[in-house]
Every structure is written in C-alpha cells, then in structure tokens.
Amino acid sequence: MSKRQADRDEDMMQQDSKAVDFGNGRNRNGGKNDLNDMGEFEDAWEDDFEQESGDEQDQAMEEDGMDVDEKAELEKEEEEEEEQQPELRTYLPGQPLEEGEQLEADQSVYVMLHNLDVRAPFLSFDVLEDSLGEERKNFPATAYVAAGTSVPGARDNEVLVMKMSQLHKTQQDDSDDEDDADALDEDPVLEYRSIPHNGCVNRLRVMPQQQEKHIASTWSETGKVHIFDLSPYMKSLDVPGTTLPKSNKPFATINNHGRYEGYAMDWSPLDTGRLLTGDNAGLIYNTIVRPTGASTDNTPFRGHKSSVEDLQWSSTERNVFASCSADQTVKIWDTRSKNRPAVSIHASTSDVNVITWNHKASYLLASGHDDGVFSVWDLRQFKGNNPTPVASFKWHNAPITSIEWHPTEESALAVSGADDQLTLWDLSVEPDTEEEGRLTSEGVEVPPQLLFVHQGQTEIKELHWHKQIPGCVLSTSNTGFNIFKTISI
C-alpha cells in the first residue's frame, strides 16, 4: 500500500517532525497543550526586514559620496553580475535537474501562494466552514483548517485547529503593488489550538453540516475512530477569552474495527451525523453520531478482499455510497444490503487508492490508482458487463494519493501523486483528433485537459478545494502545507 509504505518511513518522519523556522509569518498559539513551534509561513520574497540595516545605510551614504567614475564602475559590475545569473526556464516533471539547479515557483501563474513549514507532518486534514461568506474573491484571505499529525512511534499526536489569515495575493514583478491594496506586502498569520490524540491520525474528516457545530472524526493507527467537537477551539481563534473544555478527550469513540486500523472515512452530506469507516480487513461500518455519543451497527458491509482505501457517499441518494480497495475494485453499495455490493467493477490492475464523487454531475465518479493512473467513470454504464472508464490519464509517474472534484465546476478535477505533483484538470476540453496532446521543446506530451502542475512539496498526501474561496486549493505533504490559487481556475 503506497500511502502507508511512505508513512511508515520513520527516519523521514523524524526528520520532518523537527521544528522549522524558515519563514517570517507570525505564529500565535493558545491553550496549555499547544506546540511551541507548530509551524511558520515561508517568506517567498525574502523581505523579512522592511527597513535597511545600519550597514546598508552606511553603504548608501558611501555611494552618495562617490565620484562619477566610481559610480559608473559600480553600475557596470552590477550589470555583469545580473548577466551571470542563471537563465530561468520552464520545468516539466520527469526532467532531470542539473547540479546546482533548483525549482522556483513562477509567481506570475499564481493569484495566491503560501507555504507553511510544519513541525510535524500532516497525513490528513479537512477545511472548516466559516462565517466569512461564500464565493469570497477579496484579499487578504482567511482559511480555517483541521489537521492531524502523524509521527510514528509517538503516543501523543495532535489534532490541530488552525486559522490562517492575512493571506495576500502573490506579488508580481511587473505590477504596481502601491496601487493594489490586495497585494500589500504583509506577513501571513498562523493561529492554532491543539488537542492531544492517541496515535497517528491516519485520516481526518469534518462533518459537512457545520452550521451549528464543527464535528470531526479521526482514524487512529490504534484501530479506533474518535469523534471530536472542534467548535470551542475554532471559536477561541476569533473570540478572545473563550473558555476551552477542561477535557480534551473525544466525546465518542468507535471500537468496532478491533485491532485493525484504517484510512477510509466519509460523512454523509444528506443525513447529519451518518459516518462510514473502512479498515484494512476489508470491513465497512456505519455509525450514527449524535450529541450524546455514537451508535455503530454491529454488522459490517462485506465484499472487499483487501483493505478499504476510500469511501464516498452519494450526494443525491442517501442510501448509496461507493468504496475502493487494494483488491483493485470500485464497489457501489445500498446501505439496506450489507452482504454484497449492488455493483462491483475491476477498476485497475493495481490498488485503487482514492475515489471522488462529483457533486454537480452525480453520475461521474473518479478513481486514483497505485500505478499513477486516474480514471473517470460514468455510473450509468455500470449496469452493463465490464464497464470501461470514459477517460483515463497517465500523467503521474507514482501512486495517486488524493483526488477531488471541484465543488462547483463539474469538469474540474484536482489530483496529487507520490511523484510530488499536484495537477489541475479540465475534463471538458476535447482533444484534437489530429493532435492528442501538446508537445514541448523537450518532446514531453502534455494532455490538453491538463491545466496546471503545482510542485514544491515532497510526498503530497492529501488535497482539498476550499468551498468558500473559489479556485483555492490546500495540500499537505511530508515537508509542509500549501494554500494557493492559480490563474487557471
């Protein structure tokens, strides 16, 4: 299982879990259980100091006292230094980097780009809904996130409730920032609250009905699923003096999976408090979560021959959900029949790691596989024998780790892989019959549906669209957390 193999590399995790202090973003924490140095935002423009230092001021005064010949000589030396700077060129995944070369983000293709260097890696996270409004397009932006740390061998990991504010637009070299109030050069601010968690957080999901409370579930490596109320922690980030609960324990725990841990988990978008969890033994349990606790059916859904990797509820039919597994299948279930799925297809020749159900076109389901392929399925074709995907793409050269449809654009899809790429796609683009893809000068064929390739993170684990900030994507990896918006979507 590719996701778990990477996660069990303890040496890498221990290295990544060290405190990092690369950025100049301000970091505020609270609560007696918080980490001291959870993480900081990088300063992509390296302008930590707004004012000139004393040495720089002295140098400027010395330059003012130069004669004409000395100034001309200095200007000539500066021009020669600029000419010696290495030429920037477009990089495509798979191209080898020469000695001394490094990747640098092209700021002109981002509307917003911020990187958070974290003290401990997040294997999973989810976006918290806020009251700041829908369809937000103004800057600076603010985002709330719930995430779980994953440090193997550590008994006490954490669930973090984070507020990222002062997320300004990306500065452009050719723009006049003085006339653009949204592009002010201010540091992003990170504030957070911490809740102790027993064992690594394999997966974290927030219940979609967040109008009254922010309820989150976590899959622990201990084989237990915990239910937390994050509402007071999120409120404390906005209202100073908010009293936090004396007990940080979850208000409910699901023990039905026994000693088997898992990764698959999804809340129903139609029935409040209805939660599905799937484990490495191939079993899926249905739980009803109420304010007073949780009630789990004793009889699980059986049908997979290997670990359940992902689960997705239908957004239109309250009794229907989909599952995928390392047994290379995707199955569609009716909750009223637990002994066998309604439909089962052999979706890949490798493990099926992740799936996503399109909320705008409910007949579309996408799956990401261990061989780097992701496919799009038309569920209306599942009634026949041996259905085939309506589209398949082999751009990624390592296992697909996360996949998610855009919340409002039915043809837009975000995909991440273990090849350190996060790609954005528009599947409505029809390829030219005479020219299937675009060829670069290096001979790399680029599918016409591929809109954007985001890089800079190592071993990307999970991504999500921000439903209240159109086009905004968040992603977590072994080396940090990114929040960005491109000019493509």
Side-chain angles (χ1 to χ4, degrees):
M1 306 308 300
S2 62
K3 298 188 292 300
R4 288 190 288 276
Q5 287 171 357
D7 300 334
R8 294 299 182 258
D9 188 342
E10 294 191 15
D11 292 337
M12 176 173 288
M13 287 299 189
Q14 289 172 357
Q15 179 180 358
D16 288 336
S17 66
K18 295 177 182 177
V20 181
D21 189 15
F22 294 154
N24 71 327
R26 286 169 286 170
N27 185 344
R28 304 171 184 165
N29 61 11
K32 60 184 179 181
N33 295 313
D34 290 347
L35 296 168
N36 291 326
D37 291 307
M38 197 280 288
E40 289 196 75
F41 283 103
E42 282 188 352
D43 179 16
W45 290 84
E46 299 179 353
D47 54 359
D48 293 319
F49 302 98
E50 300 291 341
Q51 299 178 351
E52 291 181 337
S53 65
D55 293 340
E56 290 173 338
Q57 292 176 351
D58 293 342
Q59 181 181 355
M61 293 175 64
E62 290 176 1
E63 290 178 1
D64 289 340
M66 291 180 181
D67 58 30
V68 176
D69 291 339
E70 289 176 332
K71 285 188 176 181
E73 183 66 25
L74 180 61
E75 291 174 358
K76 183 179 179 180
E77 291 177 358
E78 291 175 349
E79 290 176 359
E80 290 177 352
E81 289 180 0
E82 291 179 359
E83 291 176 356
Q84 293 175 0
Q85 292 294 327
E87 181 183 356
L88 295 178
R89 56 188 176 87
T90 302
Y91 173 83
L92 286 175
Q95 296 176 343
L97 290 175
E98 297 180 4
E99 185 177 354
E101 286 187 329
Q102 61 182 9
L103 296 180
E104 182 176 316
D106 181 357
Q107 303 291 330
S108 66
V109 298
Y110 289 94
V111 177
M112 175 183 69
L113 173 61
H114 295 281
N115 178 55
L116 173 65
D117 288 304
V118 297
R119 178 178 180 269
F122 306 146
L123 180 60
S124 183
F125 74 98
D126 209 350
V127 179
L128 289 162
E129 183 179 324
D130 56 56
S131 59
L132 300 179
E134 306 295 327
E135 298 290 320
R136 304 201 298 266
K137 298 180 181 179
N138 295 330
F139 290 90
T142 298
Y144 297 80
V145 171
T149 63
S150 180
V151 182
R155 176 180 174 85
D156 293 327
N157 277 266
E158 292 175 302
V159 172
L160 297 163
V161 181
M162 299 184 291
K163 176 183 179 181
M164 295 174 284
S165 57
Q166 295 297 325
L167 301 173
H168 283 273
K169 292 175 65 175
T170 300
Q171 298 180 25
Q172 307 296 342
D173 290 330
D174 57 353
S175 67
D176 187 358
D177 290 340
E178 293 181 359
D179 297 332
D180 187 357
D182 290 342
L184 293 176
D185 182 19
E186 293 187 11
D187 299 336
V189 177
L190 171 66
E191 302 169 86
Y192 65 95
R193 300 292 181 264
S194 174
I195 306 170
H197 188 274
N198 185 17
C200 294
V201 180
N202 290 349
R203 187 154 292 178
L204 183 150
R205 288 292 179 265
V206 175
M207 190 173 72
Q209 298 83 1
Q210 301 183 53
Q211 290 74 24
E212 296 181 1
K213 285 192 173 183
H214 300 279
I215 305 299
S217 55
T218 61
W219 242 124
S220 173
E221 65 175 347
T222 62
K224 300 181 185 298
V225 176
H226 301 297
I227 314 297
F228 293 90
D229 183 1
L230 305 183
S231 305
Y233 301 94
M234 185 170 175
K235 182 180 179 181
S236 70
L237 293 171
D238 293 324
V239 182
T242 299
T243 303
L244 296 177
K246 294 182 179 180
S247 174
N248 288 318
K249 295 182 179 180
F251 73 85
T253 296
I254 300 170
N255 298 298
N256 296 59
H257 295 277
R259 60 186 178 88
Y260 293 103
E261 64 176 311
Y263 291 79
M265 181 163 57
D266 196 38
W267 291 92
S268 170
L270 301 177
D271 290 335
T272 302
R274 197 172 188 182
L275 177 67
L276 289 172
T277 51
D279 60 33
N280 290 351
L283 302 180
I284 302 170
Y285 283 90
N286 179 57
T287 299
I288 303 298
V289 178
R290 300 181 177 87
T292 55
S295 174
T296 304
D297 296 343
N298 291 325
T299 304
F301 295 90
R302 299 177 180 271
H304 283 296
K305 298 179 181 179
S306 187
S307 59
V308 181
E309 296 295 298
D310 204 2
L311 291 162
Q312 285 276 285
W313 281 101
S314 167
S315 61
T316 57
E317 300 180 71
R318 59 180 7 98
N319 291 317
V320 176
F321 70 90
S323 63
C324 68
S325 169
D327 63 12
Q328 305 178 357
T329 67
V330 172
K331 301 182 188 296
I332 308 297
W333 302 79
D334 187 319
T335 57
R336 294 162 291 192
S337 177
K338 295 183 177 180
N339 293 327
R340 55 179 299 179
V343 180
S344 179
I345 63 167
H346 188 261
S348 174
T349 57
S350 64
D351 299 0
V352 183
N353 294 333
V354 285
I355 52 176
T356 178
W357 207 315
N358 195 312
H359 285 197
K360 302 299 291 184
S362 59
Y363 55 87
L364 292 178
L365 184 80
S367 58
H369 314 149
D370 218 45
D371 57 5
V373 173
F374 72 90
S375 300
V376 179
W377 306 85
D378 187 336
L379 299 180
R380 296 171 298 186
Q381 299 179 2
F382 276 27
K383 297 178 181 179
N385 294 326
N386 300 320
T388 58
V390 295
S392 284
F393 298 91
K394 181 65 173 75
W395 172 263
H396 290 269
N397 51 40
I400 303 299
T401 57
S402 189
I403 189 168
E404 187 169 287
W405 291 103
H406 191 286
T408 58
E409 301 289 338
E410 67 178 50
S411 63
L413 186 70
V415 183
S416 68
D419 56 357
D420 305 336
Q421 294 185 66
L422 190 160
T423 53
L424 304 181
W425 302 76
D426 183 0
L427 303 185
S428 66
V429 177
E430 297 184 3
D432 192 323
T433 55
E434 297 181 356
E435 185 180 356
E436 287 295 323
R438 297 161 286 176
L439 288 176
T440 67
S441 59
E442 290 80 11
V444 179
E445 183 175 350
V446 181
Q449 296 87 355
L450 178 59
L451 295 180
F452 196 89
V453 178
H454 173 74
Q455 293 183 281
Q457 295 177 282
T458 300
E459 293 196 31
I460 303 172
K461 300 300 182 184
E462 195 168 275
L463 67 87
H464 292 295
W465 297 92
H466 196 299
K467 295 180 180 178
Q468 295 175 277
I469 306 176
C472 178
V473 180
L474 303 93
S475 58
T476 186
S477 72
N478 277 353
T479 54
F481 190 89
N482 281 188
I483 177 169
F484 65 91
K485 175 179 170 63
T486 76
I487 62 174
S488 302
I489 297 181

